[in-house]
Amino acid sequence: MLESVKITRRQSEIRQALAGLVGKEKPTEDEVRNIEAMDLEFRQNETRYRAALICEDTERREAGAELETRSGKEWAELMAGFEMRQVAFALDEGRALSGKTAEIVTELRNAGGFRGIPVPWAALEQRAGETIASGTPAPTQTRPIIDRIFPDSAASRMGAQMISIDAGAVEWPVTTSAVSAGWADGELANVAGPTTYVTTDRPLTPDHNLGVQMRISRKTLKQAGDALEQAVRRDMAGAMGAAMDRAVFIGTGANGQPLGVITGAATYGITSTAVADEVTWAAFRAAVVRFMVANAAGSPDAVRALIRPEMWAYLDGLLIDGTAVSEWDRLLKSIPAGNIAMTTNGLAAPAGDPLAVSSLLTTAAGGVAPIFVGAWGAVDVIRDPFTDAQSGGLRITALATMDLTVARPAQLEVLTGLELAAAA
């Protein structure tokens, strides 16, 4: 019990005792001494009560801060205990799930919509102590979900944001009207007339399913142990990350794929500029100026660029006459290297005569991401009990429902026809 509460109760007892004593016309000497003692104690308790409140205020603030972050910490600790190998053994041997893994799966099953064992997206993160391709341990960190799942994806580096959706469709209302202000022309004149405030919804719909098939041999199940945990998580995340990257940028919109922002530039209302000339810093500079004129970027370093390695090689070797400065050096002076993402997966290979490539530029105007990637629920892991039955292996399919949309087309621009050769 708090000390202030104890003091408050004691003060109530003193007041009740004093009420009975002060009502007497001729109190005895003992009763007078009791009145004086309780009066002194009452005044001392008032001082103690104020001191207790000061001390407990600090404790309350600390407790409040702990309560505000406790749910996030508890969820992170719970997710850190999710074991992929339990899922594999449950599908292969029917072994019962236990501990934090069982708790998470139960919560996800209550949401419905899973044929197999649901695996949360956060469980695909690389755990502390796991060695990645570069040989560097990657400790668990609390980050936005897209960074946590696909830390090296081009979509993440281009500022795309992943949205976790429980069920249904999500729409993003975007202002499309041009509301303007106007001065009153005279003392009794009216200001500019009313302008309709118009919005357009950019929906994310659960129409696209991404699947990954994994084949695990019987020897691996019996021998791998903890290594199986890391291998399944790493391979599943890598395969989904590559497929997602490709779909975000050059998804065809057909055969079950979502429509990528480069392929569907006209559909999304994204500006597409045909350069049709040798690629130089001047082509990117013109696009940056268009961003700044449209108030989509405040400075060149707010722009992100997606390019192919062939473009980097060409720009780096294209020197300005009479200098040792390349076109790549000029580009880096305005667009930081951290804002440039190179990919062979998210952009089409050079084609044509002369060879030409495309590039995508994005900005995060007002803190709004240029691209939204929606992921529904969790990853649904289903077992195929027949295909590898003769060898005793385990074949599983991981299904994820995803979609993408562009909220504000003004935050993106596509440059096409960037030629990797000088004009003949």
Side-chain angles (χ1 to χ4, degrees):
M1 183 182 299
L2 294 175
E3 188 65 25
S4 60
V5 177
K6 295 179 180 178
I7 296 174
T8 302
R9 290 187 176 181
R10 176 54 184 164
Q11 296 292 77
S12 298
E13 294 174 356
I14 294 174
R15 281 193 294 268
Q16 185 177 3
L18 285 174
L21 293 175
V22 298
K24 292 184 177 182
E25 295 182 359
K26 296 180 180 180
T28 63
E29 294 181 0
D30 292 339
E31 290 174 338
V32 172
R33 283 194 294 270
N34 287 338
I35 292 175
E36 292 176 351
M38 286 188 286
D39 178 64
L40 177 62
E41 181 183 357
F42 189 89
R43 285 186 276 109
Q44 291 175 343
N45 285 347
E46 287 295 316
T47 304
R48 293 178 55 222
Y49 179 73
R50 289 192 296 270
L53 287 180
I54 294 173
C55 296
E56 291 167 4
D57 180 66
T58 303
E59 296 176 2
R60 288 191 184 95
R61 291 179 185 273
E62 294 176 352
E66 181 184 357
L67 288 174
E68 290 176 358
T69 58
R70 181 178 297 173
S71 59
K73 292 179 180 178
E74 289 179 349
W75 174 250
E77 292 174 357
L78 186 66
M79 198 59 61
F82 190 93
E83 296 180 343
M84 287 293 295
R85 62 178 179 273
Q86 285 200 39
V87 175
F89 286 128
L91 293 171
D92 182 54
E93 305 172 359
R95 186 182 301 181
L97 300 175
S98 61
K100 297 178 180 179
T101 304
E103 185 176 349
I104 293 173
V105 170
T106 301
E107 289 291 335
L108 291 173
R109 282 196 185 282
N110 290 337
F114 300 102
R115 290 183 55 200
I117 298 179
V119 175
W121 285 100
L124 298 185
E125 66 185 348
Q126 294 172 347
R127 301 294 170 80
E130 177 182 351
T131 301
I132 58 177
S134 62
T136 304
T140 303
Q141 297 181 5
T142 302
R143 303 177 181 176
I145 190 167
I146 193 170
D147 295 331
R148 185 169 60 232
I149 301 176
F150 310 120
D152 298 324
S153 70
S156 173
R157 286 178 286 163
M158 290 300 289
Q161 180 180 355
M162 180 171 282
I163 307 297
S164 181
I165 305 171
D166 293 333
V170 175
E171 294 183 346
W172 297 86
V174 181
T175 302
T176 57
S177 61
V179 180
S180 59
W183 295 99
D185 186 15
E187 182 180 357
L188 301 178
N190 296 327
V191 296
T195 305
T196 304
Y197 191 85
V198 182
T199 62
T200 299
D201 289 333
R202 306 283 182 180
L204 286 168
T205 56
D207 296 332
H208 310 284
N209 296 318
L210 175 64
V212 176
Q213 284 195 345
M214 306 187 70
R215 187 178 181 184
I216 305 174
S217 68
R218 182 173 178 82
K219 179 180 179 181
T220 301
L221 289 169
K222 302 300 181 184
Q223 186 181 48
D226 290 348
L228 175 64
E229 169 95 10
Q230 311 300 347
V232 171
R233 182 184 297 110
R234 182 171 55 247
D235 291 348
M236 190 181 296
M240 285 188 170
M244 184 203 69
D245 261 2
R246 187 172 183 83
V248 166
F249 300 113
I250 56 176
T252 62
N255 303 320
Q257 297 183 33
L259 184 61
V261 296
I262 296 177
T263 310
T267 302
Y268 291 117
I270 300 171
T271 300
S272 181
T273 303
V275 178
D277 199 356
E278 181 184 19
V279 57
T280 61
W281 157 239
F284 288 90
R285 181 178 58 202
V288 170
V289 170
R290 286 191 290 271
F291 273 133
M292 296 175 67
V293 170
N295 294 322
S299 60
D301 60 5
V303 177
R304 298 173 182 263
L306 183 71
I307 67 173
R308 282 191 64 92
E310 294 90 342
M311 182 189 294
W312 163 77
Y314 185 76
L315 289 173
D316 193 51
L318 189 61
L319 299 179
I320 301 172
D321 293 339
T323 70
V325 179
S326 67
E327 291 290 336
W328 180 253
D329 295 328
R330 296 180 65 193
L331 187 149
L332 288 183
K333 286 183 179 179
S334 298
I335 301 178
N339 285 10
I340 299 176
M342 297 189 194
T343 179
T344 58
N345 185 45
L347 290 171
D353 186 19
L355 292 176
V357 294
S358 298
S359 178
L360 175 69
L361 302 180
T362 68
T363 64
V368 178
I371 305 168
F372 291 100
V373 180
W376 275 260
V379 180
D380 197 0
V381 180
I382 305 172
R383 180 191 181 188
D384 178 358
F386 305 107
T387 304
D388 291 330
Q390 287 183 309
S391 64
L394 171 64
R395 182 168 299 203
I396 58 178
T397 301
L399 296 176
T401 301
M402 307 178 72
D403 192 20
L404 67 99
T405 192
V406 174
R408 293 196 293 215
Q411 294 180 229
L412 298 95
E413 181 167 347
V414 179
L415 301 180
T416 61
L418 298 167
E419 298 175 0
L420 304 180

